[in-house]
Amino acid sequence: MSTPTTLPKEFQDQQESIRIMGFWVFLATDVALFGCLFSVYAVFRSRVALGPTPHQIFSLGPVLLETLILLTSSFTISLSLFAARRDRLKPALYCLILTLLLGASFVTLEIREFSHDVMAGHTWHQSAFLSAFFTLVGTHGSHVTFGVVWAIMLSMQLALRGLTVINRRKLYTFALYWHFLDIVWIFLFSIVYLTGIA
Amino acid sequence: MKAWAIHLMKLLFPPRVLLPDIIGIDIGLTIAALALLVYLTKTHRWGWLWREWLTTVDHKRIGIMYLIAALIMLFRGGVDALMIRTQLIGPHEHFMGIQQYDEVFTTHGTVMIFFMAMPLVIALFNVAVPLMIGARDVAFPRLNAISFWLFAVGAILLNVSFSIGGSPDAGWTSYAPYSELAFDPGVGENYFLLSLQVAGIGTIATAVNFLVTVLRLRAPGMSLSKMPVFAWSALITSSLILFAFPPLTVAMGLTMLDRLFHASFFTVSHQGMPMMYVNLFWIFGHPEVYILIMPAFGIFSEVVPTFSRKALFGYDAMVVSLLAISFLSYGVWVHHFFEMGAGPTVNVFFGLSTMLIAIPTGVKMFNWIFTMWGGRIRLTVPMLWQLSFIPTFVVGGATGVMLAVVPGDYQYHNTYFLIAHFHNVIVGGTVFGLLSGMYYWWSKMFGWQLNQRQGTWAFAFFFAGFWLTFMPQYFLGFMGMVRRMGTYPAGLGWTAFNFWSTIGSYLMAIGFLIMVYNIVWSRMHPNWDTTGDPWDGRTLEWSLPSPAPIYNFARIPVVHERDAWWEMKLQDRTDEVKISVDSVEPIHLPKNSPMPIILGLAFLVGSIGMVFSWFWLAILGALGIVADLAYGSFADQTEITLDPHYIIETESALGRLQS
């Protein structure tokens, strides 16, 4: 066990480091949640009934854009954490706000994609495949939406209270959450979209 | 009356909730609720209730609230059981209509598993685990209160369904397609789905909490291998919950999307797949039964050494077998539906993995027996439950292995043989274990002990009734009686077995009533536990007064051995838990918060909106949830500091100052 001074700043306070551990444990349950939804999707992918096949409704363009946006936001949240560890409040705050804007544009694009499908008559009532698709991708999207709301509150707290011990931990757990969503998206992108388009 | 009002009345009070017995219960509950309101107002208890209980984040109080809720739910689920058995006492019996029978067995199963057994487990975790590992509270006290209120909301939702809107009626497993809208209209199933999801979030939060508590908050010197086995069981149960409850959430969530928003997961018509639900449900469901039994194993591993005056035999084997069972429990779920048609290879795999679980369980049985071997056994009430658990659980386990034999299971799948088996392990294992733990830790919760003589009578009736109820059901299963039958014809040879089974259930009910009498009587004639250590205990919770002061340990003990308190007593080091006046440090404790109960209310409002498809109300609830989370996040003063003078005063009143 290293001495407290060599630990990253978020872990130096005993209580806050316990909270970070709790958040890791929560992420484990979220992995299980997405694992179930991925399994459902894998089984239902070919059960298209009278509705469209994955190949017919997926298009690479918007999804690639969403991917780039989300990956960039993972980079900006890391920058925010990096700045916070150097006690630079303003860059940390701005990078956090940039992250939440990128998250919001990701969600907007996804809603556009979904409503496009629904307008074309491809509701999830049509087939087991569409039910599984909308639920899996939608669960990720609602996680991102929750993350955006969280980031708004966190940036308010950072602006009001600065880099306190508690806010450092909050920024760290938010970054963990955000990276986690990014990883889930990588799986979504490859398992749902790339194999669907191919 | 206006058309919308008539529509609303029909939605809230469909014919199935207008049965005379339900209306009678409604009136009774309303009167009781009014009486309670009047009592609280007259005695000016509202402030007290709010400050001391509703906003508390103290694990000891949260444990007591869980316990009370669980006992009320035991009563509710027990009444359902008596109704089921009364219906089946003889052939062609029509005590209830078939629709009501379906509702009653559904409620019985759901209440007993999710709202009796689970909260009783969590109650004892809350009461004992922080004290036995030398902690001042759990890792996340406010989250602990959130867990409780989400559980309470789930319980409320399920329990109001029978008088407003209609009960769920698709069984506690709620298999698709029975539970789909086309086959089960009305709001009953919605209640089931929402209540399990909300309570499930609370349970996951509890698991996060206790996993981190046990891993991070142990007293100095208490390595994992010196930790009491009950704390081990809390750790392992939590890790099971973490991965078992998400599949339940998914199964419930997808069914909800099917019912409320016309998705096509489990309907065959759009190439959905009902067996997908069954798989998801049992990926949760099988670990769930181990979630229920592990704590009982943990309790027995505390009770047996205490009342045998011997250290636990084979501590390492106990821990390893707990880990082995938790690992294996994820690889057995298909044994609930060998008939799915997965083919012999798959079925053999799951049959064998199921049988394997008997090995670590058997190891535990022998370890408890060897702990008692040569010990000085005291036949207290906790010990009586333990002793009766061993033969009961062995029978239940052996019939479980019979069910794991694939060709055999094709014969007795979903018959009363199965019913007898799982009651044999869940009642004979979990309930016996939890009651043992309740009697064991009662004085630690309340400061007074339960009368032993009455407790023995309660045990005797419950135990005799248990065997009389469930042994005949094995035979009924062999004779072809399937589960969930609402009535049966004469002349099949089932009558006598059913009759005796029903008599047995009445004996269990008498046992429960004696237990209630036992609690009430012992409250009226308190036998105060002045030493804090009435059983001559071995673990750290017995080094504290009963009940423990709000900060638990004025001085966190340093642990050198397993059974730390026993070692201190043997080596005459009991002064180590006392403080001296000049060495007292201020103690930081989490502050009470209204945020958890408000979160529960928001969840309640939102869930009711979902149940009745009033989506404006659901959105209102969701906004309430977000607003309350924001309020909780912005609250900055979350701790209080206890002054050393206060601690010295409290400890000296308890006679715990070093001379």
Side-chain angles (χ1 to χ4, degrees), chain B residues 80 93 110 172 174 199 234 242 294 315 402 479 558 582 586 623:
Chain B
D80 289 334
E93 190 64 48
T110 313
W172 83 275
S174 276
L242 287 183
M294 295 281 190
Y315 176 97
M402 288 172 71
M479 295 162 96
V558 178
D582 41 322
L623 289 178

Side-chain angles (χ1 to χ4, degrees), chain B residues 373-634:
Chain B
W373 192 279
R376 300 227 308 273
I377 295 176
R378 286 174 289 164
L379 286 180
T380 56
V381 177
M383 196 61 177
L384 286 174
W385 287 109
Q386 202 284 335
L387 287 173
S388 62
F389 152 83
I390 289 184
T392 313
F393 200 77
V394 166
V395 171
T399 54
V401 175
M402 288 172 71
L403 281 159
V405 179
V406 182
D409 187 68
Y410 272 73
Q411 291 302 311
Y412 29 68
H413 174 79
N414 268 359
T415 64
Y416 263 77
F417 187 86
L418 169 79
I419 303 295
H421 156 71
F422 75 66
H423 282 89
N424 216 161
V425 282
I426 295 184
V427 182
T430 306
V431 177
F432 283 18
L434 293 171
L435 290 176
S436 174
M438 184 182 88
Y439 274 86
Y440 182 60
W441 281 303
W442 189 274
S443 69
K444 200 45 71 187
M445 290 183 254
F446 297 101
W448 40 276
Q449 285 200 284
L450 290 173
N451 180 287
Q452 290 282 313
R453 226 173 93 88
Q454 293 161 5
T456 308
W457 277 107
F459 159 77
F461 270 93
F462 200 91
F463 179 69
F466 169 81
W467 279 78
L468 187 56
T469 307
F470 293 107
M471 291 309 124
Q473 294 185 5
Y474 283 117
F475 295 96
L476 284 170
F478 283 137
M479 295 162 96
M481 183 166 168
V482 295
R483 79 193 291 193
R484 293 171 178 165
M485 285 184 89
T487 186
Y488 56 90
L492 292 171
W494 297 354
T495 310
F497 286 117
N498 269 306
F499 174 78
W500 286 110
S501 180
T502 302
I503 299 299
S505 71
Y506 294 162
L507 292 181
M508 287 169 84
I510 295 172
F512 177 77
L513 289 178
I514 300 175
M515 196 185 303
V516 173
Y517 176 78
N518 183 5
I519 294 171
V520 175
W521 188 93
S522 308
R523 177 74 190 85
M524 313 281 262
H525 307 84
N527 172 18
W528 296 105
D529 169 17
T530 49
T531 60
D533 188 11
W535 308 118
D536 199 4
R538 311 176 70 85
T539 40
L540 283 176
E541 75 270 30
W542 305 112
S543 74
L544 293 169
S546 299
I550 183 156
Y551 46 81
N552 297 352
F553 295 87
R555 178 180 166 195
I556 303 283
V558 178
V559 174
H560 304 287
E561 305 283 339
R562 262 175 220 161
D563 293 345
W565 176 236
W566 183 255
E567 289 300 321
M568 283 187 207
K569 286 192 283 191
L570 280 189
Q571 298 165 4
D572 218 11
R573 293 189 286 119
T574 52
D575 260 12
E576 279 183 19
V577 300
K578 297 177 180 170
I579 52 169
S580 61
V581 181
D582 41 322
S583 70
V584 184
E585 305 266 325
I587 293 176
H588 303 283
L589 283 182
K591 201 168 129 185
N592 282 4
S593 168
M595 180 258 182
I597 187 171
I598 296 173
L599 192 68
L601 278 176
F603 264 97
L604 185 63
V605 169
S607 302
I608 290 172
M610 293 297 273
V611 166
F612 290 99
S613 301
W614 299 330
F615 296 118
W616 57 272
L617 193 64
I619 292 169
L620 204 67
L623 289 178
I625 292 168
V626 173
D628 188 56
L629 289 176
Y631 161 72
S633 171
F634 276 90

